[in-house]
Amino acid sequence: MKISTWNVNSVRARIDNVLEYIKLNKPDILLLQEIKTINETFPYEAFKKAGYISYVNGQKSYNGVAILSKTKLKNIETTLRGDKIKQARIIACDFEYKKKNIKIINIYLPNGNPIDTDKFFYKMNWIKLLINKLKLEIKKNKLVLVGGDFNIIPKEIDVYNYKNFINDAVFRIDVRNKFDEIIKIGFVDSLRIFNKKEKSYTYWDYMSGAWPKNNGLRIDHFLASNDLISLIKNVEIKKSIRNQIKPSDHVPLECFFI
DNA sequence: ATGGCAGAACATTTCTGA
C-alpha cells in the first residue's frame, strides 16, 4: 500500500504528467496540492478512467487541494476551523487499512513570503490552527498522516544553502519552531526515519537553473503520528519526476505501508 | 540588488508562487 503527495502546480497544466505518474507508480492514494482550479473544471473524468475517485477542494487560480483514491473514502473535510481567509488549503478523509482507521490530512500550507507582512501572519496563524486540529485528531484517532506541501524547511540539511534562507518565510527560526511544535505533540518527520542523507530535496525553483545545479529545498513532508510510524516501511522522494517535460517544480513523495 | 521561470485570468499585462 502506498500513499503519495505531490504539489503539481496546476492539475490541468500537469494532467499528462500526473496520468503518467499514476500509471507507472500506482499509488493507492495521491494527495495533490496547488491544483489551481475550481471544482467544476477539475479533471475528474481523466482520473476516473485511470481508476481513481477524486475528492476536491478547489479554488480559482490559486491553491486548491485534492485526494485521488482507488477506493471510496469517508468523512471528507475541506475546512480548517478558525481560518477566516478560507483559502482552499486542506482536505482530510478517513481511510481504512488493515481494519484500522487512518486519518489522512492533505495540506498546502501558506508560503508566507515576504516575511512580516499579512501573508506571513496568515502562515503563522494557519500553522497554529493546524496544531489545534492535530491535537484533537491525535486524541480521537491514534493513526494520523499529515502529507503535503508544508512550505517549511525543517533543518539546515534540508536546503542547498541555508544562509540564503535565514530571513525567508520557509526557513525563518519562528517557522521552524512551529514545525518542531507539531513534532512535539506526537508526530514524526517520516522521511528521516529511513533517509538521513543530505540533498534530499522535493522542490527546485524554475528559475536560475536551480534544477541542473541541484539547488533544492525539502518542503514537502509526510508527518506520521507516533502510533502510525510503525505501520510505515519506507518513504521515498521521486526525484526523477523533475526531469519530465513541462515538470512541476515539486516532485512526489511516496509513503509505503507494511 | 534583483531577475530569472511558470500558470491563470477581468489576458498582450498583472498577480502569485518560494
Side-chain angles (χ1 to χ4, degrees):
Chain A
M1 206 281 282
K2 170 160 78 183
I3 302 179
S4 300
T5 178
W6 190 7
N7 178 324
V8 288
N9 185 20
S10 171
V11 70
R12 290 183 293 166
R14 217 68 60 210
I15 187 68
D16 293 342
N17 309 52
V18 181
L19 289 172
E20 185 191 60
Y21 170 76
I22 284 172
K23 196 174 168 188
L24 294 177
N25 298 281
K26 303 177 176 58
D28 294 273
I29 292 180
L30 174 58
L31 313 180
L32 298 177
Q33 302 88 34
E34 268 204 281
I35 59 173
K36 291 188 170 177
T37 176
I38 52 175
N39 294 15
E40 289 74 10
T41 45
F42 186 88
Y44 290 95
E45 278 306 313
F47 293 132
K48 192 177 173 187
K49 275 183 194 156
Y52 290 81
I53 308 164
S54 301
Y55 301 92
V56 182
N57 179 16
Q59 183 184 325
K60 196 176 195 174
S61 304
Y62 308 116
N63 313 315
V65 285
I67 303 179
L68 271 52
S69 175
K70 286 183 175 177
T71 59
K72 278 191 181 173
L73 301 172
K74 288 181 182 162
N75 298 324
I76 302 298
E77 209 184 328
T78 58
T79 56
L80 180 62
R81 181 187 295 244
D83 177 21
K84 293 193 174 65
I85 296 178
K86 293 184 190 303
Q87 295 178 346
R89 295 180 173 277
I90 189 164
I91 182 166
C93 67
D94 285 337
F95 174 62
E96 191 173 304
Y97 178 65
K98 291 189 170 175
K99 307 273 179 198
K100 293 171 186 146
N101 189 65
I102 303 176
K103 173 67 75 178
I104 299 173
I105 304 173
N106 175 17
I107 64 165
Y108 174 47
L109 210 145
N111 171 278
N113 277 310
I115 53 167
D116 298 329
T117 63
D118 285 347
K119 289 183 181 178
F120 184 78
F121 304 138
Y122 182 52
K123 177 180 198 167
M124 294 302 278
N125 189 244
W126 206 94
I127 301 171
K128 189 183 89 181
L129 298 173
L130 179 68
I131 289 171
N132 290 345
K133 177 174 182 62
L134 296 182
K135 281 180 183 166
L136 282 175
E137 291 298 345
I138 215 159
K139 264 188 216 167
K140 281 193 288 185
N141 296 277
K142 292 194 178 319
L143 307 178
V144 182
L145 182 68
V146 191
D149 178 357
F150 284 65
N151 270 314
I152 300 174
I153 300 164
K155 302 206 183 305
E156 292 174 2
I157 189 180
D158 297 312
V159 57
Y160 68 98
N161 182 358
Y162 73 88
K163 287 179 182 166
N164 291 358
F165 289 84
I166 296 288
N167 288 312
D168 192 292
V170 298
F171 187 70
R172 205 166 78 163
I173 189 65
D174 42 2
V175 174
R176 280 183 286 145
N177 286 344
K178 280 286 180 199
F179 186 87
D180 292 340
E181 203 179 316
I182 301 176
I183 300 298
K184 283 198 194 82
I185 65 173
F187 287 86
V188 179
D189 182 355
S190 64
L191 178 99
R192 287 311 192 192
I193 301 294
F194 307 99
N195 170 358
K196 307 279 191 208
K197 292 195 285 276
E198 58 178 14
K199 298 181 181 173
S200 296
Y201 306 137
T202 63
Y203 164 90
W204 296 259
D205 203 308
Y206 288 123
M207 294 183 279
S208 315
W211 170 241
K213 288 188 271 195
N214 199 24
N215 287 347
L217 287 62
R218 189 171 74 92
I219 52 176
D220 301 271
H221 309 293
F222 270 122
L223 301 193
S225 63
N226 291 340
D227 287 316
L228 181 64
I229 195 71
S230 57
L231 290 178
I232 297 173
K233 64 179 179 189
N234 198 13
V235 180
E236 281 179 13
I237 299 167
K238 296 294 286 184
K239 187 173 179 181
S240 64
I241 296 291
R242 194 60 175 76
N243 281 321
Q244 283 178 329
I245 296 166
K246 255 187 72 167
S248 169
D249 40 5
H250 297 248
V251 297
L253 184 64
E254 298 187 334
C255 185
F256 297 80
F257 286 72
I258 56 171

